[in-house]
Amino acid sequence: MSKVAAVVRNAGSDTMVNVAQAWAEEYAKVNAAVSVEVSGGGSATGIAGLIDGVVDLANCSRRMEVSERARAEEKNHHGVVETIAGHDALALYVHPDNPLDEISLEQLGRMYGRGGDVERWSQLGISWPHGEDDRILLISRQSNSGTYEYFRNSILGKRGEFRAGTRDLNGSKEVVSLIASTRAAIGYSGMGYAIEGVKTLRIKAGASAAVAPTVESAQNGTYKISRPLYIYSLEGAAAAITNYLEWILSPAGQAVVRKAGYVPLVS
Amino acid sequence: MARADFRETPRTRAARHRQGGARWILALAVAAMVLPMLSIVGFLLWKAAPVLSPDFLLRAPVDGMKAGGIWPAFLGTLYLVVFSLALAGPLGVLAAIYLHEYAKESRLTKLIDLAVLNLAGVPSIVHALFGLGAFVAFAGMGRSILAASLTLAVMTLPVIIASTKEALGAVPRSFREACWNVGASRWATIRAVVLPNSISGILTGFILQVSRTAGETAPIMFTGAVFYKSLPEGDLFAYGLLDQCMALSMHLFTISTQVPGVSDGVSYATAVVLLGSVLAVNAASIALRVYLRTRKRW
Amino acid sequence: MRRYWQRIEERLAELLIHTSGISAVIFVFAILFFVLREGWPGLASGAVDLGQMLFSGDWRPTSPEGARYGTLALVVGTFSVTVVAMAIAVPLSLGAALFLSEFAPPAWRETLKVLIEILAAIPSVVWGFIGLMVMNPLIVQFTGAAIGLNVLNGGIILALMSAPIITSLSEDALKAVPDSYREAALAMGATQWQTAWRVLLPTARKGLAGAALLGLGRAVGESMAVLMATGHSVRYPNGLLDSVRTLTATIAAELGESAVGSEHYRALFLVGAQLLVITFAINWVASRLVRGGTK
């Protein structure tokens, strides 16, 4: 009934869902005979779909684990192909009226971590002009988000726990929208989700100077909280799938990555 | 009786004032429901106006879904509505015929009535769970238009049964008796007389369900609707039954919560298209109801 | 020959009809069956502890220290938003029903009913959109709250969503009171308001309570609107301006993110079963009341 020649099912990381959609949109101009179906669901769901054979390309903002790989290979009798399609710099956002410009990883740990001592803006040297409530409103993600995991691993440590009372939002975009309208808020989301109405903080790691998240700083490693974006597929996949993957890695696909606000591969 | 008996006393005056006051307060209650609705609809239209155009409906989204149109979502909703109604309609009508024309009042019918009521009360997200467990997983359809349509069909079934029963009930008993008196069988009576005379009510019920199906998000979110699907524009047959699809309701949810930088115009316009389609279909149903009432022959 | 085919057609039609008749029963049981089928292994394997699920407020399905599936905070979240919604919707709907049934000039009645039908037709995702884009900034502006996605927002939206059904069912309940009651009251010199307040409302109270409960059932089962409007915070709310998460929103938010067959997935199906129990109970009580009608 369908007039397209082939369907490519691309699902997984919510961080990558927008760039995945942008790829599909752009690719339709290149090859109209292939229809790409894009969904989110999180890295774990993408991997599970790959294992079950209902997803052709699984987007992951974290590395596939050995056990997951083994299961995929066992169930599908094909090896797993790992492709890095770009990078995502994790940005910290605050309201534009917030005088804060930079923050250190260590301060973030004390702010977000359980038992941390930074709870008020005044502790960071910020004072609100009209004496409003000084408490820091922490915006976070829901617990099964790859972004949440990455933030926890890099800021709080692998066994670290978030403090209670964070607002756990359901999407990268919601975090930014909320911060844009909430003075006392701070939150993390992909660099690509920046909008006009928020301010991106420079991040200070250790003793080096604070660095803002940009394509360049992420590529040369001076911006410390940046992670690779993976796409997993199976060996022996149909031509439509491998052609699409190749296109994603090509300059055309990488241009889409940059436009979407992510960090393209260093060419 | 003396005229003085009808003179106003302080008590009756107070009652009269209270009556007037009560009337105002009650009218206010209605206003509190109707005015927000009107202002919301007006506000939506106002914010959507710069973007609304036939192009918006017929073109695909561009620029990371921040701009362009909503064609794949519109087509997807169309598919879902058509298939789910094609499945739930006949089943619902037949079930209603059973309940109204065949079944005698018994424990079975009471059980069925209770079941219909309970089915109608199932939260839409639980329908999503059911669809996921039964159609996507157990029946092996995977996430597809087929699975999503079936899920929607189960959701609309009880209402179709209820509205068809009502329509059948509106046909006077004498019609049936006349047929029985000349020796027609029950089914022949239904086919020749009852159904044609109740078709208006049945259709009205169908049409109302169209708008409900178009508006639901939860049942399709996990059974067949996707974030995005690239699709050639203008092709009415672009979707396959086992494909996943975009849908208007899902699309509104997606651009509100997951796509950064969508302009207000596009978001509001999507909401308006969804709301507008739903209201247009409801209006068609009311118009049909009125038209057929004038054509009634009894 | 013709009679033969007619009889076949007759038999076939009746077979289809009888089977369709019990379809509703089949589907209700099917829903229960499949929800439990996917959720039960979670309980059976011990991954989800029923006691914890029902009595603990700790919902942390992906915590590194061990997943916890306590739904009490979610139940309180559902409860708080629905209570606010009913507190707004029931008086409004009752008032509207009274107005439409007893006080409205006939010319207005049809128009108002159509307008209320429009209110009922608005899809839930559009309501969520309204909560997110319109009510959010309004609430922030008028209450100075940090975020406008909270119990109040969800409550107002749910109120507007359930009002039409409560109004229409209440109107039915009032209409079911025989005219002789009204005539008797008027004959004794009562005003319309006194009749309504002292005769009609008490007489129709069962049907009115049923109407309110059905509205409540609808509010409890609503997912998209609350998902977008209540702010996603798994916690016991301290007030109207706090964000919460309802049972329905939790399923909607997390189902897409849980791998099929995982513990988390099973726990969500169990939450679904929980929801079924709650809504079945509400709808059952409601239907008894509505059916009871007037004396």
Side-chain angles (χ1 to χ4, degrees), chain B residues 264-298:
Chain B
D264 269 2
V266 169
S267 315
Y268 280 91
T270 310
V272 166
V273 169
L274 179 56
L275 186 56
S277 315
V278 164
L279 291 181
V281 170
N282 274 17
S285 144
I286 296 178
L288 183 66
R289 213 192 318 167
V290 170
Y291 167 70
L292 289 166
R293 200 179 297 165
T294 64
R295 289 200 38 194
K296 247 197 190 144
R297 278 171 277 167
W298 70 89

Side-chain angles (χ1 to χ4, degrees), chain A residues 1-3 7 14 17-18 21 24-25 28 34-39 173-174 193 259, chain B residues 61-65 226-230 235 237-238 243-244 255-260:
Chain A
M1 198 175 183
S2 173
K3 286 226 186 106
V7 171
D14 281 320
V17 76
N18 283 297
Q21 186 272 330
E25 204 182 287
V34 173
S35 171
V36 182
E37 290 172 1
V38 178
S39 16
K173 159 178 162 149
E174 278 191 64
Y193 285 87
K259 186 158 174 241
Chain B
V62 295
D63 192 18
M65 303 210 296
V226 283
F227 187 85
Y228 176 75
K229 185 176 161 80
S230 50
D235 182 1
F237 294 101
D243 286 350
Q244 300 179 84
I255 60 177
S256 303
T257 57
Q258 290 171 295
V259 182

Side-chain angles (χ1 to χ4, degrees), chain A:
Chain A
M1 198 175 183
S2 173
K3 286 226 186 106
V4 295
V7 171
V8 175
R9 296 162 302 179
N10 182 213
S13 159
D14 281 320
T15 303
M16 292 171 68
V17 76
N18 283 297
V19 68
Q21 186 272 330
W23 279 327
E25 204 182 287
E26 198 58 37
Y27 192 65
K29 300 179 193 160
V30 168
N31 186 350
V34 173
S35 171
V36 182
E37 290 172 1
V38 178
S39 16
S43 306
T45 341
I47 291 176
L50 187 71
I51 295 176
D52 288 339
V54 293
V55 168
D56 302 313
L57 292 173
N59 299 330
C60 291
S61 55
R62 61 161 174 88
R63 206 108 190 258
M64 200 170 178
E65 287 173 24
V66 175
S67 56
E68 290 169 332
R69 226 179 236 267
R71 243 184 309 147
E73 293 178 355
E74 185 192 327
K75 206 161 180 203
N76 293 285
H77 307 295
H78 277 294
V80 169
V81 178
E82 175 181 290
T83 312
I84 296 185
H87 298 265
D88 174 36
L90 197 64
L92 268 295
Y93 295 104
V94 292
H95 193 269
D97 290 351
N98 191 328
L100 192 66
D101 280 326
E102 61 180 59
I103 196 167
S104 74
L105 291 180
E106 182 250 340
Q107 281 170 317
L108 280 174
R110 284 158 60 202
M111 209 193 265
Y112 269 93
R114 179 173 297 185
D117 58 331
V118 176
E119 289 181 354
R120 295 179 169 274
W121 286 110
S122 45
Q123 290 170 281
L124 295 171
I126 308 290
S127 55
W128 295 109
H130 305 293
E132 300 99 306
D133 190 352
D134 191 37
R135 274 174 298 188
I136 302 179
L137 201 66
L138 294 172
I139 314 287
S140 183
R141 291 292 309 281
Q142 84 275 23
S143 50
N144 54 2
S145 142
T147 314
Y148 171 95
E149 283 252 358
Y150 179 69
F151 186 83
R152 186 182 56 201
N153 290 344
S154 15
I155 309 285
L156 304 178
K158 196 121 196 173
R159 288 271 132 199
E161 266 278 19
F162 280 86
R163 69 161 72 231
T166 55
R167 301 269 160 130
D168 301 332
L169 298 193
N170 225 57
S172 309
K173 159 178 162 149
E174 278 191 64
V175 168
V176 178
S177 315
L178 198 53
I179 294 174
S181 57
T182 315
R183 283 268 217 95
I186 181 172
Y188 57 89
S189 199
M191 180 178 88
Y193 285 87
I195 56 175
E196 285 279 313
V198 288
K199 186 202 286 194
T200 312
L201 293 176
R202 292 194 297 272
I203 302 295
K204 192 169 160 56
S208 17
V211 180
T214 63
V215 170
E216 289 69 34
S217 63
Q219 278 180 342
N220 65 30
T222 49
Y223 189 75
K224 294 296 174 193
I225 37 178
S226 167
R227 53 186 169 152
L229 300 173
Y230 300 95
I231 299 183
Y232 290 100
S233 52
L234 293 172
E235 275 169 13
I241 300 170
T242 45
N243 289 341
Y244 185 49
L245 202 48
E246 263 173 50
W247 177 86
I248 289 177
L249 297 174
S250 74
Q254 291 298 302
V256 171
V257 170
R258 181 184 274 263
K259 186 158 174 241
Y262 295 87
V263 182
L265 300 166
V266 184
S267 41

Side-chain angles (χ1 to χ4, degrees), chain B residues 74-87:
Chain B
F74 188 72
L75 188 65
T77 297
L78 210 62
Y79 269 63
L80 289 172
V81 163
V82 165
F83 283 116
S84 65
L85 232 61
L87 294 163

Side-chain angles (χ1 to χ4, degrees), chain B residues 232-245:
Chain B
E233 286 171 6
D235 182 1
L236 272 181
F237 294 101
Y239 280 119
L241 262 187
L242 290 176
D243 286 350
Q244 300 179 84
C245 65

